[in-house]
Amino acid sequence: MIRSARSDDAQQIARLMGQLGYDVAASAIADRLQSRAEREVFVVLDGERVVGWAAVCAQETFVDGVGGYLEGLVVDESVRSSGIGARLLDVVEAWARERGCTEIRVHSNVVRERAHTFYRRRGYAAIKTQYYFRKSF
């Protein structure tokens, strides 16, 4: 079952983020789930257990115009390659189309070769290689 994420899913979402090396506190995730203006977060449930999640937002950039941006997609390592990621991506794409987006954009770390294969199989094209800069303040 796929549904919109709730604050009480935060701990399980944090656990899945940790599988990809992202150390985000469940409390921070719960806060983000409370204030998701132009964003949706979907979870996949196996019973009461969250086995996947995806976050998407509608984004308008000066260069590219309006598009959906897949902020993150994680499937529990114990159930990867079972179709969960594909189902999540279908829901994300439908959400973006409903909001007038004509494309989905996604960044994927160069070391995540399995993810690259997944996206290519789903019709995504790698359009460039780039550095991702950040300045904290």
Side-chain angles (χ1 to χ4, degrees):
M1 176 177 123
I2 299 178
R3 65 161 167 75
S4 184
R6 303 184 306 233
S7 294
D8 60 340
D9 297 320
Q11 186 65 46
Q12 294 188 73
I13 292 171
R15 175 185 56 80
L16 292 174
M17 290 176 103
Q19 289 182 4
L20 292 185
Y22 299 109
D23 183 25
V24 181
S27 59
I29 293 169
D31 289 345
R32 293 171 192 168
L33 288 171
Q34 291 295 331
S35 63
R36 54 177 143 168
E38 289 298 316
R39 168 181 297 113
E40 184 57 85
V41 181
F42 297 101
V43 292
V44 179
L45 299 174
D46 180 8
E48 295 296 314
R49 185 172 161 242
V50 174
V51 294
W53 67 267
V56 59
C57 68
Q59 180 183 71
E60 182 174 12
T61 66
F62 185 73
V63 173
D64 295 321
V66 177
Y69 176 58
L70 181 63
E71 297 179 278
L73 186 153
V74 181
V75 174
D76 190 290
E77 57 196 2
S78 69
V79 293
R80 288 185 190 149
S81 298
S82 66
I84 291 172
R87 290 197 323 262
L88 269 171
L89 209 49
D90 288 342
V91 171
V92 161
E93 290 172 0
W95 183 93
R97 274 193 298 277
E98 289 170 6
R99 280 148 188 82
C101 299
T102 58
E103 67 181 9
I104 294 285
R105 304 169 188 141
V106 59
H107 293 99
S108 183
N109 192 314
V110 295
V111 300
R112 302 201 194 286
E113 293 177 14
R114 190 170 172 191
H116 305 162
T117 300
F118 166 75
Y119 289 118
R120 284 187 180 103
R121 271 196 328 262
R122 301 283 304 166
Y124 288 69
I127 59 170
K128 64 181 168 182
T129 302
Q130 62 187 31
Y131 288 102
Y132 183 72
F133 292 94
R134 176 183 354 217
K135 179 181 178 182
S136 297
F137 41 82

